[in-house]
Amino acid sequence: MRKHTRTRTLRRLVTLGLLAGLLVPTARAGALERTPETPDGDIRARVEAVPGMRLTGEKPAAPGYRYFELSYRQPVDHRHPGRGTFEQRLTLLHKSVQQPMVLYTTGYALGGDPAFRSEPTRLVDGNQISTEQRYFGTSRPESGAVDYTTLDIWQAASDHHRLIRALKALYGGPWISTGGSKGGMTSVYHRRFYPRDVNGTVAYSAPNNTDDRDDTAYDALVERLGTPSCRAALKTAQREALVRRTELAGRYTEWAAKEGRTFTTVGGADRALELAVLRAVPMFWQYGDAGKCAQVPAPTASTDELYAWLDATSGLKNYTDQVLAPLTPYFHQLGTQLGYPQYRTPHLDGLLRHPGVQDVRSYVSRDIPLRFQPRAMADIDRWVRRHGSELLFVYGDNDPATAERFRLGPGSRDAYVEAATANHRARLSDLAPDARARAEAALGRWAGR
């Protein structure tokens, strides 16, 4: 399923999980002519009349739709609403107030492509709200200062709960929540704290890291992917990159200087290079497949070829301050609640210089505290197995990021876990015919179809 530029780039980074990209420019508010009103009445005016809602623009959309850019005022702290507010950015793709509404949680910053419709939106022929996660992009206090103690899964779930309550008076039909990767995780966390807000949830490629101390499942999966010869080639390329560390780090440093990029957060180009090498194998599989094994450089490859492959696979820009700074909220969440896998690399023994460089702390400025809360994900996991209902999890069997997946239990009702022979971009359309039919039937039932 094709996404706009920012969403595609963000998804690419989650393996490590690094996420970044460029926002699609938004249209100037009021630059459009008003389109003819539908039987819904003046939908623009009705949306603007929602308390706390502010319309910032409208863009042309496909026939039968209208596309609004909005912001909704949220408390910084839902437990103490008087402690300040911020505006959460969102977009609304409107079809009809009589159609289902799909809440698409990005988990990150917001894109701006009026043509984007998530798979559930297309399947139920619905409206769609896309939300920016609190403290990502411009969804932060006007002062710019972020209180990271209020960046947790409950506060974010409460943002979505409050937004849904505000809009249900206008969109009174069934609601479906969905998202991919961290966006899928976000939709599940919302359901845990507010299980009755929506009629069903479709979570794509959502990791469920219940014990951040144990990453053996991730190691085991990457040792099963592809053929033995492909796995060996990947390990050899990693080793060769570290053998040629001086040359590669030199090129990396020159590129950064030319592009005006820095490595203050990670701690230098050499650390960044080592981190890129360590993440190369999981990233290769997360967005690739066995068909790309032939492109892995051999030991005889030139340094130019090796550098280009590492850049294309791991994304060397992703370890610079200019990419990491906007993603501080993401890495803060990884380091406090969500967890972050670190892969074992015994084949690189003797070549590594920076112990612990895979730790999430490498991506977060040292002046921001990280205190991990081990009970957070365990609580989510228990809820899914004991009380979760109307849940559909979709995975790609070749996706290292989902080596630890959500599991159903004796208390799960009308809930499903389906997997396709695919990577991190797995969709319902990738499932085997019987699994796809089962999944689409559940979605249709939840949407009142």
Side-chain angles (χ1 to χ4, degrees):
M1 179 170 57
R2 184 165 303 194
K3 292 186 172 63
H4 47 76
T5 304
R6 182 172 178 79
T7 304
R8 202 164 49 237
T9 307
L10 292 179
R11 293 293 182 268
R12 177 170 175 72
L13 291 175
V14 77
T15 324
L16 336 110
L18 292 169
L19 301 151
L22 300 175
L23 277 173
V24 178
T26 57
R28 178 171 55 88
L32 287 181
E33 293 184 7
R34 295 284 292 274
T35 58
E37 296 304 340
T38 71
D40 296 324
D42 187 347
I43 189 61
R44 176 169 173 156
R46 295 177 70 184
V47 171
E48 285 188 281
V50 173
M53 193 71 70
R54 184 169 66 92
L55 188 142
T56 60
E58 183 176 355
K59 287 183 178 180
Y65 291 90
R66 294 184 70 178
Y67 182 87
F68 302 108
E69 297 169 326
L70 305 161
S71 65
Y72 183 64
R73 189 159 293 281
Q74 298 277 17
V76 166
D77 186 345
H78 286 274
R79 292 186 175 91
H80 305 282
R83 295 182 179 177
T85 63
F86 72 97
E87 288 196 341
Q88 183 177 25
R89 292 177 62 221
L90 60 139
T91 60
L92 167 62
L93 185 65
H94 170 83
K95 183 178 179 68
S96 168
V97 294
Q98 298 178 355
Q99 295 295 103
M101 173 61 79
V102 175
L103 174 65
Y104 176 77
T105 54
T106 66
Y108 310 102
L110 185 67
D113 182 0
F116 170 65
R117 290 194 298 160
S118 67
E119 189 176 46
T121 304
R122 289 185 283 106
L123 289 171
V124 305
D125 193 26
N127 307 286
Q128 178 175 284
I129 291 171
S130 299
T131 59
E132 183 165 82
Q133 188 85 350
R134 66 164 38 213
Y135 303 163
F136 286 78
T138 61
S139 295
R140 53 178 58 219
E142 291 180 3
S143 66
V146 170
D147 176 7
Y148 282 102
T149 65
T150 60
L151 179 59
D152 60 37
I153 58 176
W154 181 84
Q155 295 281 2
S158 298
D159 290 340
H160 291 108
H161 170 66
R162 192 167 176 272
L163 176 64
I164 291 170
R165 289 186 62 187
L167 288 172
K168 271 196 173 179
L170 182 55
Y171 294 95
W175 281 62
I176 302 294
S177 62
T178 191
S181 193
K182 182 172 176 286
M185 297 157 71
T186 300
S187 68
V188 179
Y189 306 154
H190 169 227
R191 288 295 304 282
R192 186 267 176 265
F193 297 112
Y194 301 99
R196 298 180 181 177
D197 272 359
V198 299
N199 301 81
T201 297
V202 183
Y204 296 90
S205 303
N208 180 35
N209 191 348
T210 57
D211 185 354
D212 195 46
R213 300 165 301 179
D214 183 2
D215 294 325
T216 54
Y218 295 92
D219 296 323
L221 181 56
V222 295
E223 288 300 326
R224 295 195 302 269
L225 296 176
T227 63
S229 60
C230 185
R231 294 193 294 271
L234 287 167
K235 292 176 180 178
T236 298
Q238 283 182 299
R239 286 189 58 84
E240 194 63 29
L242 293 179
V243 167
R244 303 190 210 182
R245 177 194 291 267
T246 301
E247 295 175 83
L248 294 183
R251 293 186 185 209
Y252 199 8
T253 301
E254 291 176 6
W255 166 84
K258 181 179 179 181
E259 297 293 323
R261 293 175 179 265
T262 53
F263 302 99
T264 303
T265 301
V266 171
D270 192 73
R271 283 178 61 89
L273 177 71
E274 185 164 300
L275 188 51
V277 171
L278 288 166
R279 308 306 295 186
V281 170
M283 290 189 75
F284 175 88
W285 292 115
Q286 186 153 3
Y287 291 103
D289 54 43
K292 293 188 175 182
C293 291
Q295 301 172 18
V296 179
T300 56
S302 69
T303 301
D304 284 342
E305 292 172 319
L306 185 59
Y307 184 89
W309 176 82
L310 182 62
D311 188 19
T313 302
S314 211
L316 293 176
K317 69 178 181 180
N318 298 333
Y319 307 90
T320 65
D321 297 326
Q322 289 66 36
V323 170
L324 294 180
L327 297 169
T328 298
Y330 169 59
F331 293 108
H332 180 274
Q333 289 188 284
L334 293 179
T336 55
Q337 290 188 314
L338 308 188
Y340 185 64
Q342 300 186 42
Y343 291 83
R344 291 185 64 253
T345 54
H347 57 286
L348 300 180
D349 286 352
L351 295 174
L352 299 174
R353 296 179 181 173
H354 306 292
V357 72
Q358 287 191 80
D359 190 89
V360 71
R361 170 49 80 183
S362 293
Y363 307 114
V364 181
S365 174
R366 300 305 188 273
D367 61 352
I368 298 176
L370 293 179
R371 178 174 294 180
F372 193 70
Q373 302 166 30
R375 297 180 180 178
M377 293 301 102
D379 171 74
I380 299 295
D381 180 67
R382 281 192 302 271
W383 176 81
V384 169
R385 290 185 289 110
R386 297 177 183 179
H387 307 289
S389 63
E390 293 81 39
L391 296 168
L392 171 58
F393 298 98
V394 183
Y395 292 105
D397 280 332
N398 297 332
D399 179 10
T402 55
E404 293 185 353
R405 311 177 182 192
F406 278 97
R407 303 166 293 164
L408 304 181
S412 304
R413 303 179 308 282
D414 198 10
Y416 312 86
V417 176
E418 307 287 0
T421 304
N423 58 23
H424 202 59
R425 298 188 179 98
R427 294 295 179 264
L428 298 182
S429 58
D430 297 314
L431 297 174
D434 58 339
R436 179 177 179 178
R438 181 167 55 246
E440 291 186 359
L443 174 59
R445 187 169 60 253
W446 301 336
R449 293 304 193 225

